Amino acid sequence: MTYSIPASRFFRADVEYWDDSSQSYKPVVELVAHPSGLNECSAMGSAGFSAVRSDKFRFNFRLGFGESKYVKQVPLREIGLYGGYRIDKWLNKIGFGNKGIDLKDASHLPVSAGAAIDPASILDLSDKLDSDGTLKWTPPAGDWTIVRLGYTPTGAYPAPFSRDAPIGLEVDKFDREDAEFHYNKMMGQIKNLVPGAVAARVISNYHADSFEVGWQNWTEKMPEEFEGRRGYDLKDWLPVLTGRIVGDLNASEAFLRDFRRTCADLYADYQVGTFTQLAEADGFEFTTEPYDGPFEHLQAGGRSSFPLTEVHLGGEHHRPRDAAISSGHIYEKNLIGSEQFTGPGNWVNHPGSMKLMLDHIYYHGVNRMVLHVYTHQPFTDSRAVPGMTLGVWGTQFNRNNTWWHEAQGFFGYMSRVQALLQRGTPVADILYYLGDDAPNGGGNNPPVPPKGYDSDGLNNEVLATLKVVEGRLSLPKGKSYSYLVMPDHGRVTMEGLKHLHRLARDGATIVGPAPKGSPSLADAPNQAGAAYDRIVKEMWGRSSTGSQ
């Protein structure tokens, strides 16, 4: 038995069923919604539980993820209770949410007899549809389930926007042509309005702030993109996108990993990559805060001109996001920025109250502060003071703040520190290999390095570029590390394993448990099993347990 509940915000819910024998409600499972952003994309949650028989179910809702500060209720859009087996947390695993997937958190419920669909029994009925969408098909004898899949916009729209402006939907982030259209209608218009010599002085970069527009898990060209990137057709696996099992549970989980991986690649290549190429061609940069979205965070940050993190004064984020800093380090970006000093406080903050946090952020690897917020102040009349703000968000860095003209020392200190940090190369001892699942959370994974040592996260894309130079793991531009630490989830693709093998042969120090198998269906045992086991045995002295 499984259930799913789309709602408009984050939530948790304890699910209970009525037990006739005890005449009371008994617990079934806890449902946790997956973060989906601050826009109109619904937050969804799903979970599986052993079958129970009852005509009454009760949902006790709690607000989650610090939401209680803003709202006091959970507005529901849909509740679904389904009979039959569904993959645990399948909604998040197919991309209806931006929470990182724990590869150790596979479906824990035993698969009931007859729950798995035989791939040979799946029929494609697309050619049986009339032009109006009516299905005309006479099924063979037996019981059949008709699954119809389609796609539609997520419903998210850009915000904030002028009250007088027409409201359009968010752009498809998995399509290069749509990204080019978006850029040309935004930055292209600005470039056309501002003379070139002026634009070079006043426009430094196009910035995509923290990802708050929810999930995306499809695009018109998804079938072609998937096959081109993963090497097999997704058509026969589409029922898995409804939580069902095709073939067996391990194969279905592996397909879901490949599906999420494709979403991440499309976002990095066609959203961040396209914006970066177009912006740099126009003489400025594209920056982004690469976390909390439907992508692989290290890869997304690496595709930008340089990544940004954020730390809030008096808020929930007291340290920089490791994903942004690690992506800047492993992709060897000269700059790593931070949105600073966001959060409530407004007119209360001053240089003295910000100095300690400023040094803390520099210590963690940031070398450029992007002040939040410097709002345009077009009015010179003293009656217009304090002028334009962003409400409660941000510290007011502008001439209408009382300490503005006395803050030269503070700004000078920032300039000197950043000038030195930007001339240096960050030093870290350890590369924590995170694998390449997506979305993958942020930064480093346990174990925490010993006191006095630093580390960065590593993905498959950068793993392929590593070389061993004098016993150290070296990036293309020369930044190097002493050790590579394996992930504790034990899932490494065949491609990743080959690169690890190459590095080990060349003298790299690799620490940690042997891989248990590949998370990708493209590396199924009948395709890569023997070669996979041979490499693992050569490196660790024992074979793997095979593909997931």
Side-chain angles (χ1 to χ4, degrees):
M1 181 74 73
T2 65
Y3 66 85
S4 63
I5 305 176
S8 64
R9 288 297 302 180
F10 310 150
F11 63 87
R12 295 172 183 265
D14 295 316
V15 183
E16 301 172 327
Y17 75 98
W18 179 258
D19 178 45
D20 284 334
S21 61
S22 64
Q23 290 293 292
S24 64
Y25 280 99
K26 292 190 173 182
V28 175
V29 73
E30 182 190 39
L31 174 70
V32 180
H34 310 305
S36 63
L38 302 179
N39 214 294
E40 289 300 304
C41 287
S42 297
M44 300 187 185
S46 63
F49 52 90
S50 300
V52 296
R53 183 179 298 276
S54 180
D55 60 354
K56 297 177 184 177
F57 286 84
R58 184 166 68 182
F59 295 80
N60 298 316
F61 288 95
R62 311 188 307 280
L63 297 172
F65 307 100
E67 178 108 292
S68 58
K69 295 186 300 184
Y70 307 107
V71 296
K72 300 299 180 184
Q73 61 183 359
V74 176
L76 289 177
R77 294 184 177 177
E78 182 181 340
I79 295 177
L81 286 163
Y82 304 114
Y85 192 92
R86 294 291 190 279
I87 295 170
D88 195 30
K89 301 181 178 65
W90 64 275
L91 281 174
N92 197 33
K93 291 177 179 178
I94 68 173
F96 283 120
N98 299 332
K99 182 181 179 182
I101 306 295
D102 185 350
L103 290 180
K104 296 180 294 184
D105 186 23
S107 294
H108 60 279
L109 297 174
V111 180
S112 54
I117 301 170
D118 180 359
S121 70
I122 297 174
L123 301 179
D124 181 2
L125 302 179
S126 301
D127 61 352
K128 310 297 183 187
L129 293 173
D130 279 353
S131 58
D132 64 355
T134 302
L135 176 63
K136 292 189 175 180
W137 174 62
T138 302
D143 295 327
W144 293 85
T145 298
I146 298 174
V147 178
R148 182 170 183 172
L149 297 171
Y151 62 95
T152 187
T154 65
Y157 53 83
F161 50 82
S162 168
R163 292 179 181 273
D164 300 325
I167 302 173
L169 293 172
E170 275 285 320
V171 68
D172 180 354
K173 296 168 180 58
F174 297 169
D175 187 283
R176 183 184 297 277
E177 292 179 0
D178 286 359
E180 291 174 347
F181 178 85
H182 176 88
Y183 180 91
N184 291 329
K185 291 297 182 180
M186 183 179 174
M187 298 307 295
Q189 297 285 1
I190 295 174
K191 184 182 67 173
N192 292 336
L193 291 172
V194 181
V198 176
R201 296 199 312 271
V202 301
I203 301 176
S204 64
N205 61 303
Y206 170 28
H207 177 60
D209 209 32
S210 51
F211 196 91
E212 298 176 1
V213 294
W215 39 262
Q216 181 180 336
N217 63 358
W218 197 264
T219 186
E220 184 177 4
K221 300 173 185 175
M222 176 62 86
E224 303 95 311
E225 291 283 359
F226 183 94
E227 185 168 7
R229 294 168 186 270
R230 306 282 82 86
Y232 65 94
D233 191 344
L234 62 68
K235 180 177 64 178
D236 291 339
W237 297 90
L238 288 176
V240 181
L241 299 182
T242 68
R244 293 173 168 88
I245 297 173
V246 172
D248 59 50
L249 180 57
N250 287 340
S252 298
E253 290 273 16
F255 164 74
L256 292 177
R257 173 267 172 202
D258 289 349
F259 184 77
R260 296 191 302 273
R261 181 66 252 175
T262 301
C263 291
D265 289 343
L266 293 175
Y267 181 88
D269 291 344
Y270 296 157
Q271 177 80 359
V272 183
T274 301
F275 286 167
T276 300
Q277 293 167 9
L278 295 174
E280 291 181 351
D282 284 338
F284 48 96
E285 296 169 313
F286 175 73
T287 56
T288 188
E289 295 175 7
Y291 38 82
D292 297 339
F295 42 78
E296 190 229 289
H297 302 70
L298 297 175
Q299 180 191 42
R303 287 288 195 279
S304 65
S305 299
F306 65 90
L308 265 70
T309 181
E310 61 182 306
V311 182
H312 290 193
L313 274 172
E316 298 174 1
H317 306 306
H318 296 292
R319 61 168 290 164
R321 301 291 189 99
D322 290 333
I325 294 174
S326 283
S327 68
H329 286 171
I330 65 175
Y331 284 89
E332 298 183 282
K333 306 291 185 181
N334 183 53
L335 299 176
I336 298 176
S338 181
E339 172 195 322
Q340 214 59 49
F341 296 82
T342 313
N346 224 317
W347 304 102
V348 177
N349 301 322
H350 56 82
S353 66
M354 294 183 283
K355 171 66 165 54
L356 186 61
M357 176 173 281
L358 180 69
D359 291 340
H360 174 73
I361 298 164
Y362 286 144
Y363 166 80
H364 278 283
V366 170
N367 60 18
R368 173 180 280 188
M369 295 296 166
V370 180
L371 299 180
H372 190 292
V373 60
Y374 188 103
T375 47
H376 180 50
Q377 303 295 340
F379 306 112
T380 58
D381 192 322
S382 61
R383 292 173 295 179
V385 172
M388 307 288 286
T389 71
L390 287 185
V392 301
W393 299 111
T395 299
Q396 304 306 317
F397 290 93
N398 65 70
R399 59 183 169 79
N400 289 338
N401 204 322
T402 55
W403 48 259
W404 177 253
H405 296 290
E406 283 71 47
Q408 296 94 331
F410 181 65
F411 296 126
Y413 172 77
M414 292 170 61
S415 298
R416 291 193 302 275
V417 170
Q418 292 178 184
L420 289 173
L421 290 175
Q422 290 169 19
R423 282 173 169 78
T425 299
V427 176
D429 309 279
I430 303 168
L431 275 174
Y432 280 131
Y433 178 41
L434 305 180
D436 73 339
D437 195 42
N440 65 345
N444 304 334
N445 63 332
V448 176
K451 185 176 181 181
Y453 293 83
D454 203 356
S455 60
D456 285 317
L458 174 69
N459 61 4
N460 265 16
E461 190 169 79
V462 175
L463 173 67
T465 71
L466 288 174
K467 294 182 179 180
V468 180
V469 179
E470 297 181 355
R472 293 178 63 84
L473 295 146
S474 179
L475 293 167
K477 295 180 182 179
K479 178 176 169 58
S480 65
Y481 301 81
S482 298
Y483 311 101
L484 187 152
V485 177
M486 294 293 293
D488 60 358
H489 56 64
R491 298 298 173 187
V492 178
T493 63
M494 185 66 184
E495 179 188 11
L497 184 63
K498 288 179 178 178
H499 287 300
L500 292 169
H501 189 215
R502 168 180 59 83
L503 294 170
R505 284 200 319 260
D506 292 343
T509 301
I510 299 175
V511 182
K516 299 175 182 177
S518 171
S520 173
L521 189 61
D523 293 338
N526 61 338
Q527 298 181 44
Y532 195 102
D533 283 350
R534 184 173 62 253
I535 295 174
V536 172
K537 189 171 184 178
E538 181 179 334
M539 293 181 67
W540 278 273
R542 64 177 179 80
S543 62
S544 71
T545 56
S547 180
Q548 179 177 350

